[in-house]
């Protein structure tokens, strides 16, 4: 166990660029590494992506292990698991962080099983038990009713997947320096059972909720007939529609719109919430928004404790008025 040193991040890519979650993982990894007095490295797997190493360093990595291979040009479970397993077995980091994205959720368990270690999935926070040199994965459990703290004390590396947007990237610092270590991993076509034939982008409205700079969220106080206006306002502002759980439970909006403990975590520049009371299970998914505007007819609604601007009033009056005023401004 004492051979294991340092914290490592899996540098997930999105079409030859670093995926946004990679920058978030670097921020989380940097914090953990600093608390443990350790080094932070990134495993960068791909083909023709060496240029991204300096970006990983600018966002917090001390070292980048680069595996460049034509068979890593597209993500496949087989090739990536083999290459990452080779890097982890050789360099033995104490902890490895992945995004809780489709790729991270596919890759992390497979590599953890090969390494015979544990994986805490879907964490929203990381804590450090410095005395025992343990990284603690914090995640909602039992349907979100408790926050579980998960440790992996008897096996290394300790592995985690972390929800996108749960951590905030560090500001880019191009003056940071680090080392790039090129790794040779043997991969052949027979290792890879899957080939990418084409790439079809998922269509999820104009803007993905997790990436949106503006979120217009609907709660139970928005009557069914007014949901169209919420969508219209989101479109007018170039944003995405968010929701609370009751609307999803009632089938009024799709589960991809749910914000909160059992939904998505958002960090937009502007969040506007209509008819939302401000239950903690919702606010954990939007409380880090830069500006929060809340519309609720109840002046005691807890959402107002968080709001930058609170409007006490009826959604049925304020929403149409806001939409028509914005249209007017845009028109002129
Ligand atoms: C384990 C667990 C996990 C959960 N996870 C999530 C989660 O991920 N995300 C989530 O959102 N919730 C989640 N919930 C549910 C959460 O506890 C709340 O019930 C939910 O967030 C409340 O949604 P709401 O604010 O839309 O509804 P309500 O709490 O019913 O609030 C509606 C608000 O609308 C206002 N209102 C009503 N009519 C009008 C009007 N005409 N004009 C203006 N205001 C009006 C009311 O004053 C009220 O404040 C979870 C619950 C549990 C138990």
């Amino acid at each position: 166990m004492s051979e294991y040193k340092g914290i490592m991040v899996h540098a997930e890519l999105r079409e030859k660029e670093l995926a946004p979650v990679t920058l978030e993982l670097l921020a989380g990894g940097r914090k953990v590494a600093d608390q443990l007095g350790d080094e932070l490295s990134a495993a960068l797997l791909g083909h023709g992506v060496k240029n991204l190493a300096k970006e990983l360093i600018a966002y917090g990595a001390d070292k980048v292990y680069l595996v460049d291979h034509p068979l890593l040009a597209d993500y496949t479970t087989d090739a990536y698991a083999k290459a990452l397993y080779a890097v982890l077995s050789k360099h033995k980091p104490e902890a490895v962080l992945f995004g809780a994205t489709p790729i991270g959720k596919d890759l992390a368990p497979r590599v953890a099983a090969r390494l015979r270690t544990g994986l805490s999935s879907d964490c929203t926070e990381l804590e450090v038990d410095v005395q025992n040199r343990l990284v603690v994965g914090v995640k909602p459990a039992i349907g979100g009713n408790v926050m579980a703290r998960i440790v992996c004390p008897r096996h290394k590396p300790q592995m985690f997947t972390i929800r996108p947007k749960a951590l905030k990237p560090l500001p880019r610092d191009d003056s940071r320096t680090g080392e790039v270590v090129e790794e040779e991993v043997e991969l052949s076509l027979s290792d890879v059972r899957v080939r990418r034939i084409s790439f079809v982008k998922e269509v999820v409205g104009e803007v993905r909720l997790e990436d949106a700079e503006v979120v217009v969220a609907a709660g139970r106080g928005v009557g069914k007939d007014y949901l169209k206006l919420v969508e219209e306002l989101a479109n007018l502002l170039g944003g995405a529609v968010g929701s609370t759980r009751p609307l999803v439970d009632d089938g009024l909006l799709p589960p991809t719109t749910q914000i909160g403990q059992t939904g998505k975590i958002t960090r937009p520049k502007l969040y506007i919430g209509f008819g939302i009371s401000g239950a903690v299970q919702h606010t954990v998914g939007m409380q880090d928004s830069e500006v929060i505007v809340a519309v609720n007819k109840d002046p005691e609604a807890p959402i107002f404790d968080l709001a930058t601007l609170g409007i006490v009033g009826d959604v049925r009056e304020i929403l149409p008025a806001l939409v028509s005023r914005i249209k007017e401004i845009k028109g002129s």
Side-chain angles (χ1 to χ4, degrees):
M1 295 276 274
S2 58
E3 282 179 67
Y4 290 83
K5 297 240 171 342
I7 310 297
M8 193 184 281
V9 158
H10 167 240
E12 185 174 326
L13 306 181
R14 200 189 269 177
E15 293 296 291
K16 302 274 181 210
E17 301 289 334
L18 295 179
V21 75
T22 302
L23 310 187
E24 297 158 24
L25 296 176
L26 286 169
R30 184 71 267 161
K31 203 166 149 200
V32 172
D34 289 345
Q35 276 175 276
L36 291 172
D38 253 342
E39 183 180 77
L40 176 66
S41 61
L44 174 59
L45 280 57
H47 186 44
V49 290
K50 190 174 178 181
N51 60 316
L52 299 178
K54 60 176 186 307
E55 229 173 292
L56 290 165
I57 293 167
Y59 280 102
D62 300 311
K63 199 180 260 180
V64 177
Y65 295 108
L66 170 71
V67 189
D68 186 300
H69 196 288
L71 288 174
L72 296 172
D74 298 321
Y75 176 79
T76 62
T77 314
D78 289 333
Y80 271 63
K82 186 172 180 190
L84 192 57
Y85 172 74
V87 172
L88 297 183
S89 321
K90 184 171 165 193
H91 295 289
K92 297 189 166 37
E94 256 188 298
V96 190
L97 316 182
F98 297 80
T101 56
I103 286 182
K105 286 180 178 177
D106 181 57
L107 184 59
R110 188 163 295 241
V111 176
R114 287 188 190 192
L115 291 164
R116 301 276 182 272
T117 189
L119 167 69
S120 309
S121 60
D122 228 13
C123 298
T124 51
E125 243 181 283
L126 292 176
E127 290 174 357
V128 184
D129 173 353
V130 178
Q131 204 178 351
N132 297 306
R133 293 196 71 80
L134 287 174
V135 183
V136 183
V138 184
K139 61 175 282 184
I142 321 183
N145 286 312
V146 295
M147 293 306 279
R149 291 185 154 66
I150 300 176
V151 287
C152 177
R154 285 192 286 276
H155 297 274
K156 290 210 173 148
Q158 307 157 75
M159 293 187 36
F160 304 88
T161 64
I162 299 166
R163 276 215 234 164
K165 293 284 186 278
L167 306 172
K168 194 173 178 188
L170 295 168
R172 186 185 176 119
D173 177 359
D174 286 310
S175 68
R176 290 192 86 255
T177 53
E179 194 186 344
V180 181
V181 182
E182 298 199 22
E183 294 287 330
E184 291 286 328
V185 174
E186 265 184 48
L187 282 174
S188 65
L189 264 179
S190 60
D191 289 321
V192 188
R193 290 168 295 178
V194 178
R195 247 177 322 129
R196 170 163 142 177
I197 294 166
S198 68
F199 180 73
V200 182
K201 229 176 180 167
E202 186 189 10
V203 183
V204 278
E206 289 184 13
V207 191
R208 275 159 53 103
L209 181 59
E210 308 88 300
D211 301 335
E213 295 203 335
V214 176
V215 169
V216 182
R220 196 154 27 196
V222 177
K224 198 172 152 198
D225 300 339
Y226 288 79
L227 287 174
K228 272 263 158 272
L229 277 181
V230 168
E231 204 177 312
E232 192 175 350
L233 182 59
N235 288 338
L236 280 169
L237 298 174
V241 172
S243 71
T244 59
R245 183 153 131 177
L247 296 195
V248 174
D249 288 346
D250 292 347
L252 294 172
L253 285 171
T256 46
T257 61
Q258 186 179 318
I259 295 174
Q261 201 167 339
T262 40
K264 290 185 175 159
I265 297 182
T266 60
R267 230 179 244 277
K269 290 199 167 132
L270 172 64
Y271 164 100
I272 314 180
F274 290 96
I276 292 174
S277 58
V280 67
Q281 291 89 354
H282 179 74
T283 57
V284 291
M286 47 63 75
Q287 64 197 0
D288 291 325
S289 309
E290 273 177 40
V291 174
I292 297 172
V293 179
V295 181
N296 197 306
K297 66 178 183 187
D298 173 8
E300 303 297 327
I303 190 90
F304 288 134
D305 296 338
L306 281 181
T308 323
L309 173 68
I311 304 172
V312 179
D314 195 319
V315 166
R316 289 166 296 186
E317 287 169 21
I318 291 161
L319 187 52
L322 201 55
V323 168
S324 76
R325 181 73 184 116
I326 290 173
K327 274 187 181 163
E328 226 174 82
I329 295 169
K330 287 202 140 192
S332 64

